[in-house]
Amino acid sequence: MKKIYFAFSIFACLYCSTPHASAQSTQSNTYCNPINIDYTYMIYNANSGISYRSGADPAIVRFRNEYYLFVTRSLGYWHSTDLKNWDFITPEKWYFQGSNAPAASNYKDSVLYVTGDPSGSMSILYTDDPKKGNWKAVPSILNDLQDPDLFIDDNGKAYMFWGSSNKFPIRGITLDKEKNFKPSDKVDTLFNLDESKHGWERFGENNSDTALGGYIEGAWLTKHNDKYYMQYAAPGTEFNVYGDGTYIGDEPLGPYHYAPNNPISFKPGGFINGAGHGSTVRGPQDQYWHFTTMAVNVNIGWERRIGMFPTFFDKDGLMYCSTYFGDYPHYAPAIPGKMGAFTGWMLLSYKKPVKASSLVENYKPKNVTDENVKTFWVAENNDDRQWIEIDLLRPGKVFAVQIDYNDYHSNIYGKPPGLYQRYTIEGSLDGKSWSNLVDRSDNFNDVPNDYVELASPQTVRYVRYKNIHVPTPYLSISGLRVFGIGEGKKPAEVKNFSVNRKQDRRDALIKWASQQNCQGYNVLWGIAPDKMYSSWMVYDGDSLEMRNLNADQSYYFSIEAFNENGVSVKTPVLEIK
């Protein structure tokens, strides 16, 4: 019988415990999505025997120049000084079931406010010591809130926004902060989805479901240069096209107008998809960052991870996130002059030959190099005799490796002690003589999406993961991703690039001539030649059907090709009216 872990939980609002922080960090200048935090095993499907980690609906807040990350149903929250290395905090008092789609607000670095009771009826919690987590509750209750967003303006006025529905809009009320956050009688309707005009708001994978309406959720208000940016998510958390848009206003309660470059946070392609239900924070050197929800969707639709993307406001006041090569290595938020920039390290391991110590059923070793988080390899056991090896086919200079573990019949629930992974990664030029690239043999941290930047790059042809310990009954890996620079040529410029906007102006069919010596393509687009903020990564293939355009907006398109050696030049920009 497989061992089953449970974390104590009951249906109540707050619990008391000894505060605890578990550290996990590696010394490096880069990061790679999904971010590597010790995601909690969910308890709300435990009654069905479904075990999986998840992290979603992030509320990120800066407090006294440090950062706190609140995530749905996580039985605590995370703390960081640099937005890269995170400690999990088990607070003295917190929600027994974890918060749900939480809200967080910093009031002048004096008090941190949080709310997110799973019941939808909630008091606002507050503390001046979030590291200790001695949360207190404001003695009043706000009712019928799903996906709350608490916003306290510079003048001290407080607001609550909420909405999670395929019918009802984002709404808001004023709160009297001096009277226990008493809500006003007036409820303001801000906006709802308009799927007839906004293609990206349509439901389904690739916005393809014509029967069901999309969901609007995840309100988050950011103030920048005296403008208010109300962010919202659509159309559904499990889909590749889950993204965030924004409306812009002069006051917290509006009126608001739709940003023409929506969605502002959008990542439908690549290893892991989705960039919705996010929150925005000023990071080191006041660079903005948008933390988002990314879909795993293997064990259940609610299986998710957290991504972070550098975020900007252009000269015309338009907000946008850069998801370009969004699950490849980027420079960390604290690296001066490079915060969030793409490193240029390419994927050396894509679809390369793989062999392994063992496998279960049809969960083949080749799944670790197919750049799909939803496919995975399962070894027949979890012991130190399990290994998996990639032949890169030719030598390449390795800069970093990411190991994305998968939950296959994990039978773990909550946040029990003793979760950690130990392994080594070796490299070789000839498959006979091996040297260590990564040594995690003494690791005691829980690193489910471990990303390790090598102290110095190594040129190898073969890469071998050797397991020592995982906390799950089986060793299962969805991605063994080897990043670096190959020794060959970059792809040539893409030929025969065309964009056919359909009669339904929300849709477009994009085609190009596929070429040899190429792993994939980035389709780039925007509302002006200098506002091409969006990208869609397509592995292999020679076409892309987009259903995410705004019907009344003209667009500009380009494309580039990439392989393990680098990225081609972009094609000339096409204007599509």
Side-chain angles (χ1 to χ4, degrees), residues 115 124 142 145 148-150 158-162 171-173 175:
T115 195
I124 293 173
L142 301 171
L145 298 182
D149 176 39
L150 175 64
Y159 304 84
M160 182 66 77
F161 305 97
W162 71 96
R171 291 172 283 192
I173 54 173
L175 303 174

Side-chain angles (χ1 to χ4, degrees), residues 426-445:
E426 300 173 326
S428 173
L429 279 170
D430 59 8
K432 298 176 182 179
S433 178
W434 297 85
S435 60
N436 264 354
L437 302 180
V438 177
D439 187 350
R440 289 287 212 177
S441 59
D442 293 325
N443 177 56
F444 282 99
N445 295 326

